[in-house]
């Protein structure tokens, strides 16, 4: 979209009121634009509804993230407990193996 300033000057000089009416009359561009914008921007309008919906989605995602973190911490704690038990059992097996090796060697 471009503006031809020469044509605009000619139109304004020929009939200023007609050019003004294009923008400011009841069916003018500015009036229609203001009507559309007020519908979009007012409380409960399209943008407000979308923002409310997005905020609810963000809240749900935050809750899901918190749930995942809690589950992760539980799994991590369980695996650490299992690892410690396994490490202890391996230590006992090594100790028993060393004892048996020494006992066999002493025979």
């Amino acid at each position: 979209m471009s503006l031809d300033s020469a044509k605009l000057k000619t139109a304004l000089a020929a009939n200023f009121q007609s050019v003004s009416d294009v923008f400011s009359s009841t069916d003018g561009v500015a009036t229609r634009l203001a009507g559309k914008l007020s519908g979009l921007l007012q409380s409960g309008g399209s943008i407000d509804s979308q923002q409310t919906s997005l905020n609810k989605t963000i809240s749900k995602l935050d809750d899901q993230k918190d749930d995942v973190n809690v589950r992760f911490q539980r799994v991590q704690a369980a695996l650490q407990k299992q690892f410690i038990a396994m490490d202890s059992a391996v230590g006992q097996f090594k100790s028993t193996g060393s004892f048996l090796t020494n006992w066999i060697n002493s025979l």
Side-chain angles (χ1 to χ4, degrees):
M1 191 164 140
S2 65
L3 175 68
D4 186 342
S5 59
K7 286 184 181 180
L8 179 61
K9 285 180 184 178
T10 304
L12 287 173
N15 193 346
F16 180 78
Q17 187 59 45
S18 293
V19 174
S20 174
D21 288 345
V22 167
F23 294 101
S24 62
S25 68
T26 307
D27 292 334
V29 174
T31 306
R32 288 184 295 177
L33 182 61
K36 295 238 185 222
L37 286 176
S38 68
L40 292 172
L41 298 175
Q42 70 184 357
S43 178
S46 297
I47 293 175
D48 187 45
S49 297
Q50 287 180 353
Q51 184 176 6
T52 301
S53 175
L54 289 172
N55 286 335
K56 286 180 182 179
T57 301
I58 288 170
S59 178
K60 287 178 185 178
L61 290 173
D62 284 341
D63 291 344
Q64 289 175 355
K65 183 178 107 179
D66 292 341
D67 291 344
V68 167
N69 283 333
V70 167
R71 287 194 314 248
F72 171 75
Q73 289 171 356
R74 286 181 185 158
V75 168
Q76 183 181 19
L79 290 174
Q80 282 177 333
K81 186 177 178 181
Q82 289 175 352
F83 178 80
I84 290 169
M86 180 198 68
D87 192 42
S88 176
V90 167
Q92 289 176 354
F93 291 141
K94 282 184 179 181
S95 176
T96 303
S98 293
F99 170 77
L100 290 175
T101 301
N102 290 335
W103 182 69
I104 290 173
N105 288 337
S106 67
L107 292 177

